[in-house]
Amino acid sequence: MKDIAALRQGRMTTPEDAIEALKDGNARFFSGQATRPEADANQRRAQIMGQTPFAAVLACSDSRVPVEIVFDQGLGDLFVARVAGNVVGDSELGTLEYAIRHLDVRLIVVMGHEGCGAVAAALLPEDDLAREPEHLRRLIARIQPSVRDLPPIRDKKARMREAVLNNVRHQAATLREQPVIREAEASGQVRVIGAFYEIGSGAVDFLTEEEDLRV
């Protein structure tokens, strides 16, 4: 079992390797050529020895956004935190800090998606939001700063896409301000990037450059 487990070690040695693996996997998924990597019985048992994910993903809880499937990755490849609106809170931050310090991931991805209900809620008037439960209002409040000053966009779909992208940028910026993540980025251990998943096409657009991530 130790020999099988060791085969996974060091599979991705740089953040760039990890980005390419996710891009390649998504290309297989949206083109209908997904490999659906499934571990055999020995590989599943070997994972009891430990986990070696190469990337951590902060994604939305939306049932239409199954992260491992979208990136065509198998068991043990991705360390995924999911919460409505892919927002950064204490639990999500602690999860990602664990991934950096104890799992040696090479990449952190903040992934939003087409038609996000939490982002749509953040665009509603305050009177409408006042009728929502307390904890849901608190979650939506973490999204509101990213959509408050949207430019006027008449096309509703385009406006929602821009709102979701702004939220991705905002949450990524929040992560990058945290000491553990800032230190890991500065050392070259990880990169923090953004992503936007189109439910209709299955394609993921990656935000990898500083200009793409600028709030």
Side-chain angles (χ1 to χ4, degrees):
M1 288 304 162
K2 290 182 179 179
D3 291 341
I4 295 173
L7 291 176
R8 298 181 61 84
Q9 300 292 337
R11 188 160 67 94
M12 302 296 166
T13 59
T14 69
E16 289 67 32
D17 289 341
I19 292 171
E20 286 306 308
L22 294 185
K23 286 183 175 180
D24 290 346
N26 179 245
R28 292 192 300 271
F29 170 70
F30 78 75
S31 65
Q33 299 176 338
T35 59
R36 294 287 188 272
E38 300 292 344
D40 63 27
N42 284 333
Q43 289 173 323
R44 289 196 301 272
R45 286 194 290 269
Q47 290 187 37
I48 297 171
M49 307 294 296
Q51 59 172 318
T52 56
F54 66 84
V57 183
L58 174 58
C60 184
S61 296
D62 194 297
S63 61
R64 301 164 296 176
V65 190
V67 178
E68 288 86 354
I69 294 175
V70 166
F71 291 116
D72 196 30
Q73 299 300 317
L75 302 177
D77 289 331
L78 301 179
F79 193 74
V80 182
R82 295 181 66 175
V83 59
N86 42 274
V87 299
V88 177
D90 288 344
S91 297
E92 294 75 31
L93 181 58
T95 298
L96 296 176
E97 287 178 343
Y98 177 81
I100 290 172
R101 286 289 177 87
H102 298 285
L103 301 179
D104 198 30
V105 297
R106 297 302 180 184
L107 186 68
I108 295 176
V109 184
V110 180
M111 187 168 77
H113 67 92
E114 179 181 13
C116 181
V119 173
L123 294 167
L124 292 174
E126 288 295 333
D127 288 346
D128 292 345
L129 291 177
R131 294 193 286 270
E132 298 293 347
E134 175 188 357
H135 293 93
L136 178 55
R137 293 199 307 271
R138 291 182 182 178
L139 185 147
I140 292 169
R142 294 180 181 273
I143 301 173
Q144 286 177 312
S146 66
V147 301
R148 188 165 290 139
D149 298 318
L150 275 181
I153 302 173
R154 296 180 65 180
D155 183 275
K156 291 182 179 180
K157 184 176 181 180
R159 187 169 188 266
M160 264 301 298
R161 177 185 173 92
E162 192 60 27
V164 170
L165 285 170
N166 276 1
N167 182 50
V168 166
R169 295 181 182 110
H170 178 84
Q171 305 303 330
T174 300
L175 287 178
R176 298 177 84 185
E177 292 170 356
Q178 306 306 314
V180 171
I181 295 176
R182 185 171 63 239
E183 177 185 328
E185 269 209 298
S187 70
Q189 175 190 342
V190 303
R191 284 180 61 184
V192 178
I193 67 170
F196 177 87
Y197 173 59
E198 293 183 346
I199 293 173
S201 70
V204 173
D205 292 333
F206 290 83
L207 286 66
T208 59
E209 305 303 323
E210 290 298 324
E211 181 63 26
D212 300 331
L213 292 167
R214 183 175 301 162
V215 175

PDB file of all heavy atoms in Angstrom, residues 86 119 143 145-151 153 159-173 196 207 212-215:
ATOM      1  N   ASN A  86     -19.137  30.991  -2.930  1.00  0.00           N
ATOM      2  CA  ASN A  86     -17.673  30.834  -2.785  1.00  0.00           C
ATOM      3  C   ASN A  86     -17.035  31.972  -1.997  1.00  0.00           C
ATOM      4  O   ASN A  86     -16.056  32.586  -2.418  1.00  0.00           O
ATOM      5  CB  ASN A  86     -16.968  30.664  -4.143  1.00  0.00           C
ATOM      6  CG  ASN A  86     -17.461  31.569  -5.247  1.00  0.00           C
ATOM      7  OD1 ASN A  86     -18.440  31.225  -5.924  1.00  0.00           O
ATOM      8  ND2 ASN A  86     -16.808  32.709  -5.449  1.00  0.00           N
ATOM      9  N   VAL A 119     -24.861  35.307  -5.528  1.00  0.00           N
ATOM     10  CA  VAL A 119     -24.476  36.590  -6.119  1.00  0.00           C
ATOM     11  C   VAL A 119     -25.723  37.350  -6.573  1.00  0.00           C
ATOM     12  O   VAL A 119     -25.825  38.566  -6.396  1.00  0.00           O
ATOM     13  CB  VAL A 119     -23.498  36.387  -7.289  1.00  0.00           C
ATOM     14  CG1 VAL A 119     -23.225  37.705  -8.011  1.00  0.00           C
ATOM     15  CG2 VAL A 119     -22.189  35.787  -6.776  1.00  0.00           C
ATOM     16  N   ILE A 143     -20.657  39.166  -0.001  1.00  0.00           N
ATOM     17  CA  ILE A 143     -20.616  39.315  -1.457  1.00  0.00           C
ATOM     18  C   ILE A 143     -20.926  40.748  -1.876  1.00  0.00           C
ATOM     19  O   ILE A 143     -20.390  41.239  -2.880  1.00  0.00           O
ATOM     20  CB  ILE A 143     -21.628  38.348  -2.116  1.00  0.00           C
ATOM     21  CG1 ILE A 143     -21.305  36.899  -1.743  1.00  0.00           C
ATOM     22  CG2 ILE A 143     -21.636  38.496  -3.636  1.00  0.00           C
ATOM     23  CD1 ILE A 143     -22.351  35.891  -2.203  1.00  0.00           C
ATOM     24  N   PRO A 145     -20.059  43.840  -1.163  1.00  0.00           N
ATOM     25  CA  PRO A 145     -19.055  44.840  -1.553  1.00  0.00           C
ATOM     26  C   PRO A 145     -18.526  44.649  -2.970  1.00  0.00           C
ATOM     27  O   PRO A 145     -18.143  45.619  -3.625  1.00  0.00           O
ATOM     28  CB  PRO A 145     -17.936  44.635  -0.516  1.00  0.00           C
ATOM     29  CG  PRO A 145     -18.621  44.052   0.669  1.00  0.00           C
ATOM     30  CD  PRO A 145     -19.694  43.167   0.102  1.00  0.00           C
ATOM     31  N   SER A 146     -18.519  43.427  -3.465  1.00  0.00           N
ATOM     32  CA  SER A 146     -17.965  43.156  -4.792  1.00  0.00           C
ATOM     33  C   SER A 146     -18.922  43.515  -5.918  1.00  0.00           C
ATOM     34  O   SER A 146     -18.505  43.612  -7.076  1.00  0.00           O
ATOM     35  CB  SER A 146     -17.566  41.678  -4.904  1.00  0.00           C
ATOM     36  OG  SER A 146     -18.701  40.844  -4.842  1.00  0.00           O
ATOM     37  N   VAL A 147     -20.201  43.703  -5.598  1.00  0.00           N
ATOM     38  CA  VAL A 147     -21.190  44.001  -6.653  1.00  0.00           C
ATOM     39  C   VAL A 147     -21.811  45.380  -6.486  1.00  0.00           C
ATOM     40  O   VAL A 147     -22.680  45.768  -7.271  1.00  0.00           O
ATOM     41  CB  VAL A 147     -22.299  42.920  -6.688  1.00  0.00           C
ATOM     42  CG1 VAL A 147     -21.687  41.554  -6.952  1.00  0.00           C
ATOM     43  CG2 VAL A 147     -23.108  42.907  -5.396  1.00  0.00           C
ATOM     44  N   ARG A 148     -21.366  46.112  -5.493  1.00  0.00           N
ATOM     45  CA  ARG A 148     -22.010  47.393  -5.167  1.00  0.00           C
ATOM     46  C   ARG A 148     -21.839  48.431  -6.263  1.00  0.00           C
ATOM     47  O   ARG A 148     -22.742  49.213  -6.524  1.00  0.00           O
ATOM     48  CB  ARG A 148     -21.443  47.911  -3.842  1.00  0.00           C
ATOM     49  CG  ARG A 148     -22.157  49.119  -3.285  1.00  0.00           C
ATOM     50  CD  ARG A 148     -21.791  49.325  -1.829  1.00  0.00           C
ATOM     51  NE  ARG A 148     -22.358  48.306  -0.966  1.00  0.00           N
ATOM     52  CZ  ARG A 148     -21.722  47.720   0.053  1.00  0.00           C
ATOM     53  NH1 ARG A 148     -20.457  48.053   0.303  1.00  0.00           N
ATOM     54  NH2 ARG A 148     -22.312  46.815   0.792  1.00  0.00           N
ATOM     55  N   ASP A 149     -20.692  48.457  -6.906  1.00  0.00           N
ATOM     56  CA  ASP A 149     -20.403  49.506  -7.892  1.00  0.00           C
ATOM     57  C   ASP A 149     -20.277  48.940  -9.297  1.00  0.00           C
ATOM     58  O   ASP A 149     -19.413  49.365 -10.075  1.00  0.00           O
ATOM     59  CB  ASP A 149     -19.120  50.252  -7.504  1.00  0.00           C
ATOM     60  CG  ASP A 149     -19.255  50.955  -6.160  1.00  0.00           C
ATOM     61  OD1 ASP A 149     -20.320  51.545  -5.922  1.00  0.00           O
ATOM     62  OD2 ASP A 149     -18.306  50.887  -5.355  1.00  0.00           O
ATOM     63  N   LEU A 150     -21.122  47.992  -9.641  1.00  0.00           N
ATOM     64  CA  LEU A 150     -21.092  47.457 -10.996  1.00  0.00           C
ATOM     65  C   LEU A 150     -21.397  48.547 -12.017  1.00  0.00           C
ATOM     66  O   LEU A 150     -22.274  49.381 -11.794  1.00  0.00           O
ATOM     67  CB  LEU A 150     -22.145  46.351 -11.149  1.00  0.00           C
ATOM     68  CG  LEU A 150     -21.804  44.930 -10.736  1.00  0.00           C
ATOM     69  CD1 LEU A 150     -23.005  44.030 -11.023  1.00  0.00           C
ATOM     70  CD2 LEU A 150     -20.594  44.408 -11.457  1.00  0.00           C
ATOM     71  N   PRO A 151     -20.695  48.560 -13.141  1.00  0.00           N
ATOM     72  CA  PRO A 151     -21.050  49.505 -14.204  1.00  0.00           C
ATOM     73  C   PRO A 151     -22.420  49.149 -14.775  1.00  0.00           C
ATOM     74  O   PRO A 151     -22.854  47.996 -14.686  1.00  0.00           O
ATOM     75  CB  PRO A 151     -19.948  49.295 -15.247  1.00  0.00           C
ATOM     76  CG  PRO A 151     -19.453  47.907 -14.995  1.00  0.00           C
ATOM     77  CD  PRO A 151     -19.572  47.685 -13.517  1.00  0.00           C
ATOM     78  N   ILE A 153     -24.938  47.720 -17.016  1.00  0.00           N
ATOM     79  CA  ILE A 153     -24.920  46.726 -18.092  1.00  0.00           C
ATOM     80  C   ILE A 153     -26.362  46.313 -18.349  1.00  0.00           C
ATOM     81  O   ILE A 153     -27.029  45.766 -17.473  1.00  0.00           O
ATOM     82  CB  ILE A 153     -24.073  45.494 -17.703  1.00  0.00           C
ATOM     83  CG1 ILE A 153     -22.637  45.905 -17.355  1.00  0.00           C
ATOM     84  CG2 ILE A 153     -24.067  44.465 -18.835  1.00  0.00           C
ATOM     85  CD1 ILE A 153     -21.790  44.774 -16.800  1.00  0.00           C
ATOM     86  N   ARG A 159     -24.519  41.127 -17.134  1.00  0.00           N
ATOM     87  CA  ARG A 159     -24.404  41.780 -15.828  1.00  0.00           C
ATOM     88  C   ARG A 159     -24.140  40.745 -14.733  1.00  0.00           C
ATOM     89  O   ARG A 159     -23.310  40.962 -13.844  1.00  0.00           O
ATOM     90  CB  ARG A 159     -25.674  42.568 -15.524  1.00  0.00           C
ATOM     91  CG  ARG A 159     -25.594  43.436 -14.267  1.00  0.00           C
ATOM     92  CD  ARG A 159     -26.785  44.386 -14.206  1.00  0.00           C
ATOM     93  NE  ARG A 159     -26.637  45.341 -13.123  1.00  0.00           N
ATOM     94  CZ  ARG A 159     -27.159  45.169 -11.892  1.00  0.00           C
ATOM     95  NH1 ARG A 159     -27.869  44.073 -11.634  1.00  0.00           N
ATOM     96  NH2 ARG A 159     -26.983  46.071 -10.953  1.00  0.00           N
ATOM     97  N   MET A 160     -24.837  39.613 -14.788  1.00  0.00           N
ATOM     98  CA  MET A 160     -24.610  38.571 -13.801  1.00  0.00           C
ATOM     99  C   MET A 160     -23.200  37.996 -13.910  1.00  0.00           C
ATOM    100  O   MET A 160     -22.538  37.736 -12.895  1.00  0.00           O
ATOM    101  CB  MET A 160     -25.637  37.451 -13.980  1.00  0.00           C
ATOM    102  CG  MET A 160     -26.838  37.557 -13.069  1.00  0.00           C
ATOM    103  SD  MET A 160     -26.406  37.528 -11.304  1.00  0.00           S
ATOM    104  CE  MET A 160     -25.656  35.911 -11.155  1.00  0.00           C
ATOM    105  N   ARG A 161     -22.733  37.792 -15.131  1.00  0.00           N
ATOM    106  CA  ARG A 161     -21.370  37.275 -15.302  1.00  0.00           C
ATOM    107  C   ARG A 161     -20.365  38.235 -14.673  1.00  0.00           C
ATOM    108  O   ARG A 161     -19.451  37.805 -13.956  1.00  0.00           O
ATOM    109  CB  ARG A 161     -21.050  37.078 -16.787  1.00  0.00           C
ATOM    110  CG  ARG A 161     -19.627  36.600 -17.041  1.00  0.00           C
ATOM    111  CD  ARG A 161     -19.303  36.539 -18.529  1.00  0.00           C
ATOM    112  NE  ARG A 161     -17.899  36.245 -18.740  1.00  0.00           N
ATOM    113  CZ  ARG A 161     -17.378  35.024 -18.894  1.00  0.00           C
ATOM    114  NH1 ARG A 161     -18.171  33.966 -18.888  1.00  0.00           N
ATOM    115  NH2 ARG A 161     -16.092  34.842 -19.067  1.00  0.00           N
ATOM    116  N   GLU A 162     -20.542  39.533 -14.917  1.00  0.00           N
ATOM    117  CA  GLU A 162     -19.611  40.511 -14.354  1.00  0.00           C
ATOM    118  C   GLU A 162     -19.688  40.528 -12.833  1.00  0.00           C
ATOM    119  O   GLU A 162     -18.670  40.661 -12.148  1.00  0.00           O
ATOM    120  CB  GLU A 162     -19.901  41.904 -14.922  1.00  0.00           C
ATOM    121  CG  GLU A 162     -18.829  42.935 -14.629  1.00  0.00           C
ATOM    122  CD  GLU A 162     -17.472  42.559 -15.204  1.00  0.00           C
ATOM    123  OE1 GLU A 162     -17.440  41.824 -16.231  1.00  0.00           O
ATOM    124  OE2 GLU A 162     -16.452  43.000 -14.652  1.00  0.00           O
ATOM    125  N   ALA A 163     -20.910  40.367 -12.293  1.00  0.00           N
ATOM    126  CA  ALA A 163     -21.069  40.329 -10.842  1.00  0.00           C
ATOM    127  C   ALA A 163     -20.352  39.118 -10.245  1.00  0.00           C
ATOM    128  O   ALA A 163     -19.666  39.225  -9.227  1.00  0.00           O
ATOM    129  CB  ALA A 163     -22.552  40.301 -10.485  1.00  0.00           C
ATOM    130  N   VAL A 164     -20.508  37.966 -10.876  1.00  0.00           N
ATOM    131  CA  VAL A 164     -19.847  36.759 -10.388  1.00  0.00           C
ATOM    132  C   VAL A 164     -18.328  36.908 -10.474  1.00  0.00           C
ATOM    133  O   VAL A 164     -17.599  36.552  -9.543  1.00  0.00           O
ATOM    134  CB  VAL A 164     -20.318  35.521 -11.176  1.00  0.00           C
ATOM    135  CG1 VAL A 164     -19.462  34.306 -10.833  1.00  0.00           C
ATOM    136  CG2 VAL A 164     -21.782  35.227 -10.877  1.00  0.00           C
ATOM    137  N   LEU A 165     -17.840  37.429 -11.592  1.00  0.00           N
ATOM    138  CA  LEU A 165     -16.393  37.626 -11.737  1.00  0.00           C
ATOM    139  C   LEU A 165     -15.857  38.607 -10.702  1.00  0.00           C
ATOM    140  O   LEU A 165     -14.769  38.394 -10.139  1.00  0.00           O
ATOM    141  CB  LEU A 165     -16.079  38.118 -13.151  1.00  0.00           C
ATOM    142  CG  LEU A 165     -16.170  37.069 -14.255  1.00  0.00           C
ATOM    143  CD1 LEU A 165     -16.086  37.727 -15.634  1.00  0.00           C
ATOM    144  CD2 LEU A 165     -15.076  36.025 -14.106  1.00  0.00           C
ATOM    145  N   ASN A 166     -16.603  39.677 -10.448  1.00  0.00           N
ATOM    146  CA  ASN A 166     -16.169  40.628  -9.426  1.00  0.00           C
ATOM    147  C   ASN A 166     -16.103  39.962  -8.058  1.00  0.00           C
ATOM    148  O   ASN A 166     -15.196  40.239  -7.260  1.00  0.00           O
ATOM    149  CB  ASN A 166     -17.123  41.825  -9.377  1.00  0.00           C
ATOM    150  CG  ASN A 166     -16.787  42.877 -10.405  1.00  0.00           C
ATOM    151  OD1 ASN A 166     -15.848  42.720 -11.175  1.00  0.00           O
ATOM    152  ND2 ASN A 166     -17.558  43.945 -10.443  1.00  0.00           N
ATOM    153  N   ASN A 167     -17.063  39.092  -7.778  1.00  0.00           N
ATOM    154  CA  ASN A 167     -17.039  38.387  -6.497  1.00  0.00           C
ATOM    155  C   ASN A 167     -15.845  37.447  -6.415  1.00  0.00           C
ATOM    156  O   ASN A 167     -15.192  37.338  -5.370  1.00  0.00           O
ATOM    157  CB  ASN A 167     -18.342  37.607  -6.299  1.00  0.00           C
ATOM    158  CG  ASN A 167     -18.386  36.899  -4.959  1.00  0.00           C
ATOM    159  OD1 ASN A 167     -18.132  37.489  -3.919  1.00  0.00           O
ATOM    160  ND2 ASN A 167     -18.691  35.617  -4.992  1.00  0.00           N
ATOM    161  N   VAL A 168     -15.529  36.753  -7.503  1.00  0.00           N
ATOM    162  CA  VAL A 168     -14.341  35.894  -7.532  1.00  0.00           C
ATOM    163  C   VAL A 168     -13.098  36.725  -7.235  1.00  0.00           C
ATOM    164  O   VAL A 168     -12.252  36.338  -6.409  1.00  0.00           O
ATOM    165  CB  VAL A 168     -14.211  35.188  -8.893  1.00  0.00           C
ATOM    166  CG1 VAL A 168     -12.818  34.567  -9.057  1.00  0.00           C
ATOM    167  CG2 VAL A 168     -15.288  34.124  -9.054  1.00  0.00           C
ATOM    168  N   ARG A 169     -12.974  37.863  -7.900  1.00  0.00           N
ATOM    169  CA  ARG A 169     -11.800  38.729  -7.671  1.00  0.00           C
ATOM    170  C   ARG A 169     -11.741  39.200  -6.225  1.00  0.00           C
ATOM    171  O   ARG A 169     -10.669  39.232  -5.600  1.00  0.00           O
ATOM    172  CB  ARG A 169     -11.856  39.921  -8.620  1.00  0.00           C
ATOM    173  CG  ARG A 169     -11.740  39.563 -10.096  1.00  0.00           C
ATOM    174  CD  ARG A 169     -11.780  40.823 -10.955  1.00  0.00           C
ATOM    175  NE  ARG A 169     -11.721  40.487 -12.373  1.00  0.00           N
ATOM    176  CZ  ARG A 169     -12.741  40.637 -13.221  1.00  0.00           C
ATOM    177  NH1 ARG A 169     -13.898  41.117 -12.782  1.00  0.00           N
ATOM    178  NH2 ARG A 169     -12.610  40.296 -14.481  1.00  0.00           N
ATOM    179  N   HIS A 170     -12.885  39.585  -5.700  1.00  0.00           N
ATOM    180  CA  HIS A 170     -12.946  40.101  -4.327  1.00  0.00           C
ATOM    181  C   HIS A 170     -12.541  39.020  -3.323  1.00  0.00           C
ATOM    182  O   HIS A 170     -11.737  39.276  -2.417  1.00  0.00           O
ATOM    183  CB  HIS A 170     -14.367  40.587  -4.040  1.00  0.00           C
ATOM    184  CG  HIS A 170     -14.569  41.103  -2.654  1.00  0.00           C
ATOM    185  ND1 HIS A 170     -14.257  42.396  -2.288  1.00  0.00           N
ATOM    186  CD2 HIS A 170     -15.047  40.510  -1.528  1.00  0.00           C
ATOM    187  CE1 HIS A 170     -14.532  42.572  -1.012  1.00  0.00           C
ATOM    188  NE2 HIS A 170     -15.020  41.446  -0.527  1.00  0.00           N
ATOM    189  N   GLN A 171     -13.071  37.808  -3.488  1.00  0.00           N
ATOM    190  CA  GLN A 171     -12.743  36.730  -2.551  1.00  0.00           C
ATOM    191  C   GLN A 171     -11.280  36.314  -2.687  1.00  0.00           C
ATOM    192  O   GLN A 171     -10.611  36.022  -1.682  1.00  0.00           O
ATOM    193  CB  GLN A 171     -13.672  35.532  -2.777  1.00  0.00           C
ATOM    194  CG  GLN A 171     -15.163  35.836  -2.697  1.00  0.00           C
ATOM    195  CD  GLN A 171     -15.604  36.453  -1.386  1.00  0.00           C
ATOM    196  OE1 GLN A 171     -15.007  36.204  -0.334  1.00  0.00           O
ATOM    197  NE2 GLN A 171     -16.647  37.274  -1.432  1.00  0.00           N
ATOM    198  N   ALA A 172     -10.768  36.295  -3.915  1.00  0.00           N
ATOM    199  CA  ALA A 172      -9.350  35.962  -4.122  1.00  0.00           C
ATOM    200  C   ALA A 172      -8.453  37.000  -3.459  1.00  0.00           C
ATOM    201  O   ALA A 172      -7.435  36.661  -2.832  1.00  0.00           O
ATOM    202  CB  ALA A 172      -9.044  35.853  -5.613  1.00  0.00           C
ATOM    203  N   ALA A 173      -8.829  38.271  -3.588  1.00  0.00           N
ATOM    204  CA  ALA A 173      -8.048  39.341  -2.960  1.00  0.00           C
ATOM    205  C   ALA A 173      -8.064  39.208  -1.445  1.00  0.00           C
ATOM    206  O   ALA A 173      -7.043  39.427  -0.773  1.00  0.00           O
ATOM    207  CB  ALA A 173      -8.591  40.700  -3.385  1.00  0.00           C
ATOM    208  N   PHE A 196     -14.174  30.919 -13.655  1.00  0.00           N
ATOM    209  CA  PHE A 196     -15.612  31.100 -13.886  1.00  0.00           C
ATOM    210  C   PHE A 196     -16.109  29.914 -14.686  1.00  0.00           C
ATOM    211  O   PHE A 196     -15.641  29.659 -15.798  1.00  0.00           O
ATOM    212  CB  PHE A 196     -15.874  32.402 -14.654  1.00  0.00           C
ATOM    213  CG  PHE A 196     -17.322  32.632 -14.995  1.00  0.00           C
ATOM    214  CD1 PHE A 196     -18.173  33.256 -14.095  1.00  0.00           C
ATOM    215  CD2 PHE A 196     -17.840  32.230 -16.222  1.00  0.00           C
ATOM    216  CE1 PHE A 196     -19.515  33.467 -14.404  1.00  0.00           C
ATOM    217  CE2 PHE A 196     -19.176  32.440 -16.540  1.00  0.00           C
ATOM    218  CZ  PHE A 196     -20.019  33.057 -15.627  1.00  0.00           C
ATOM    219  N   LEU A 207      -8.779  32.913 -14.508  1.00  0.00           N
ATOM    220  CA  LEU A 207      -8.237  34.242 -14.246  1.00  0.00           C
ATOM    221  C   LEU A 207      -6.882  34.036 -13.584  1.00  0.00           C
ATOM    222  O   LEU A 207      -6.794  33.815 -12.373  1.00  0.00           O
ATOM    223  CB  LEU A 207      -9.162  35.043 -13.323  1.00  0.00           C
ATOM    224  CG  LEU A 207     -10.468  35.613 -13.892  1.00  0.00           C
ATOM    225  CD1 LEU A 207     -11.429  34.502 -14.296  1.00  0.00           C
ATOM    226  CD2 LEU A 207     -11.143  36.528 -12.883  1.00  0.00           C
ATOM    227  N   ASP A 212      -6.250  40.153 -14.593  1.00  0.00           N
ATOM    228  CA  ASP A 212      -7.514  39.418 -14.498  1.00  0.00           C
ATOM    229  C   ASP A 212      -8.094  39.441 -13.092  1.00  0.00           C
ATOM    230  O   ASP A 212      -9.314  39.437 -12.905  1.00  0.00           O
ATOM    231  CB  ASP A 212      -7.304  37.938 -14.893  1.00  0.00           C
ATOM    232  CG  ASP A 212      -6.805  37.767 -16.308  1.00  0.00           C
ATOM    233  OD1 ASP A 212      -7.119  38.628 -17.150  1.00  0.00           O
ATOM    234  OD2 ASP A 212      -6.103  36.774 -16.575  1.00  0.00           O
ATOM    235  N   LEU A 213      -7.204  39.439 -12.089  1.00  0.00           N
ATOM    236  CA  LEU A 213      -7.621  39.330 -10.698  1.00  0.00           C
ATOM    237  C   LEU A 213      -7.821  40.669 -10.007  1.00  0.00           C
ATOM    238  O   LEU A 213      -8.288  40.706  -8.870  1.00  0.00           O
ATOM    239  CB  LEU A 213      -6.565  38.533  -9.915  1.00  0.00           C
ATOM    240  CG  LEU A 213      -6.453  37.048 -10.280  1.00  0.00           C
ATOM    241  CD1 LEU A 213      -5.194  36.453  -9.684  1.00  0.00           C
ATOM    242  CD2 LEU A 213      -7.680  36.285  -9.821  1.00  0.00           C
ATOM    243  N   ARG A 214      -7.501  41.736 -10.698  1.00  0.00           N
ATOM    244  CA  ARG A 214      -7.593  43.056 -10.060  1.00  0.00           C
ATOM    245  C   ARG A 214      -9.029  43.365  -9.688  1.00  0.00           C
ATOM    246  O   ARG A 214      -9.941  43.258 -10.488  1.00  0.00           O
ATOM    247  CB  ARG A 214      -7.065  44.140 -11.008  1.00  0.00           C
ATOM    248  CG  ARG A 214      -7.053  45.531 -10.381  1.00  0.00           C
ATOM    249  CD  ARG A 214      -6.415  46.519 -11.320  1.00  0.00           C
ATOM    250  NE  ARG A 214      -5.039  46.139 -11.652  1.00  0.00           N
ATOM    251  CZ  ARG A 214      -4.373  46.620 -12.694  1.00  0.00           C
ATOM    252  NH1 ARG A 214      -4.954  47.470 -13.515  1.00  0.00           N
ATOM    253  NH2 ARG A 214      -3.139  46.229 -12.914  1.00  0.00           N
ATOM    254  N   VAL A 215      -9.249  43.756  -8.426  1.00  0.00           N
ATOM    255  CA  VAL A 215     -10.585  44.069  -7.933  1.00  0.00           C
ATOM    256  C   VAL A 215     -11.079  45.355  -8.564  1.00  0.00           C
ATOM    257  O   VAL A 215     -10.356  46.342  -8.605  1.00  0.00           O
ATOM    258  CB  VAL A 215     -10.571  44.208  -6.386  1.00  0.00           C
ATOM    259  CG1 VAL A 215     -11.933  44.644  -5.894  1.00  0.00           C
ATOM    260  CG2 VAL A 215     -10.172  42.880  -5.753  1.00  0.00           C
TER     261      VAL A 215
END
